[in-house]
Amino acid sequence: AQSVTQLDSQVPVFEEAPVELRCNYSSSVSVYLFWYVQYPNQGLQLLLKYLSGSTLVKGINGFEAEFNKSQTSFHLRKPSVHISDTAEYFCAVTPQGSTLGRLYFGRGTQLTVWP
Amino acid sequence: NAGVMQNPRHLVRRRGQEARLRCSPMKGHSHVYWYRQLPEEGLKFMVYLQKENIIDESGMPKERFSAEFPKEGPSILRIQQVVRGDSAAYFCASSPPSTGLYGYTFGSGTRLTVV
């Protein structure tokens, strides 16, 4: 079974500050990892994904994430945030090789960027 | 190239009525997934369908909920005799067959309110 833990439910930061949103997962098999962003009253948009290769993954809007297999983590970072980054961020995993394609989500982290 | 289309965007039902949520996948996507997002929680998997087949319904409540993806037309999530606890955002996602590599494309969701 898979589970995802997002350690912070809310992260407030000031504009232009760096931010890290933490994600840890538990799985008995290798997984693919994803970060999604949800703006108010909208659906989820894919920020980035880790499938294989380099453990540092770059996504849209200046975000990046680093896969750490030994720590089973996939933390999301941005060196300088904008007010427009205010949104809910979800970490998700899916087992490699699964034919079911089901995503397991964390509970989400609300990022609020203040001016 | 339209994205995943869900309708209606907002749906209000009285207790005991039926709710029907529709999802049209992206062109070329043959796999549809339904997720439910309860207030202040992450997305929870409900059901995975391919055309005319239910592949995985392990996340569906045992009673009152059903889903279909007919050969022609959108996928339908049906909730019979709705109760207040069914109030949530319901998201549909579609994917090409190799889901693990490409991830999903989500619709904007249907927000169901039961009064």
Side-chain angles (χ1 to χ4, degrees):
Chain A
Q2 287 71 38
S3 67
V4 177
T5 302
Q6 292 184 243
L7 296 162
D8 306 298
S9 59
Q10 300 202 30
V11 173
V13 294
F14 287 108
E15 195 173 19
E16 298 183 7
V19 71
E20 178 180 81
L21 306 183
R22 296 181 292 171
C23 172
N24 287 86
Y25 69 93
S26 172
S27 178
S28 56
V29 300
S30 295
V31 296
Y32 298 128
L33 301 109
F34 304 82
W35 274 100
Y36 284 86
V37 59
Q38 183 181 29
Y39 298 102
N41 296 317
Q42 295 187 26
L44 276 70
Q45 180 182 0
L46 181 65
L47 269 180
L48 48 79
K49 57 181 180 282
Y50 174 77
L51 305 179
S52 64
S54 173
T55 56
L56 183 62
V57 181
K58 294 190 183 298
I60 63 171
N61 300 340
F63 283 92
E64 64 181 29
E66 186 159 18
F67 171 53
N68 188 320
K69 188 173 183 179
S70 62
Q71 297 187 4
T72 60
S73 67
F74 191 53
H75 301 332
L76 181 71
R77 302 187 183 100
K78 186 169 183 179
S80 175
V81 294
H82 302 291
I83 289 179
S84 59
D85 292 322
T86 295
E88 187 96 25
Y89 291 80
F90 292 95
C91 181
V93 303
T94 191
Q96 290 185 23
S98 169
T99 57
L100 295 179
R102 171 180 177 173
L103 280 174
Y104 296 81
F105 283 89
R107 292 174 66 109
T109 297
Q110 173 64 45
L111 173 65
T112 303
V113 181
W114 298 99
Chain B
N1 185 17
V4 178
M5 305 302 293
Q6 289 189 249
N7 66 81
R9 289 293 302 275
H10 299 276
L11 182 61
V12 179
R13 285 287 177 265
R14 296 186 183 279
R15 282 178 291 171
Q17 291 185 318
E18 178 179 284
R20 301 187 83 195
L21 289 62
R22 295 176 182 77
C23 170
S24 297
M26 283 186 68
K27 187 176 181 180
H29 286 193
S30 57
H31 296 205
V32 166
Y33 303 79
W34 285 93
Y35 286 80
R36 176 165 64 173
Q37 184 181 31
L38 294 168
E40 299 187 9
E41 292 192 21
L43 279 73
K44 301 293 186 186
F45 168 80
M46 298 183 76
V47 63
Y48 162 36
L49 309 110
Q50 297 176 18
K51 286 283 188 181
E52 300 184 282
N53 281 304
I54 297 175
I55 307 301
D56 179 5
E57 58 180 346
S58 59
M60 289 278 271
K62 293 288 186 275
E63 298 177 347
R64 302 187 297 109
F65 286 72
S66 63
E68 62 178 9
F69 189 16
K71 186 177 181 180
E72 301 291 338
S75 176
I76 305 289
L77 178 68
R78 183 181 292 108
I79 312 172
Q80 297 178 306
Q81 300 177 321
V82 296
V83 301
R84 288 253 173 90
D86 297 332
S87 294
Y90 292 82
F91 290 95
C92 167
S94 71
S95 76
S98 52
T99 302
L101 290 176
Y102 301 112
Y104 293 172
T105 300
F106 278 90
S108 296
T110 293
R111 282 151 183 86
L112 172 66
T113 302
V114 179
V115 297

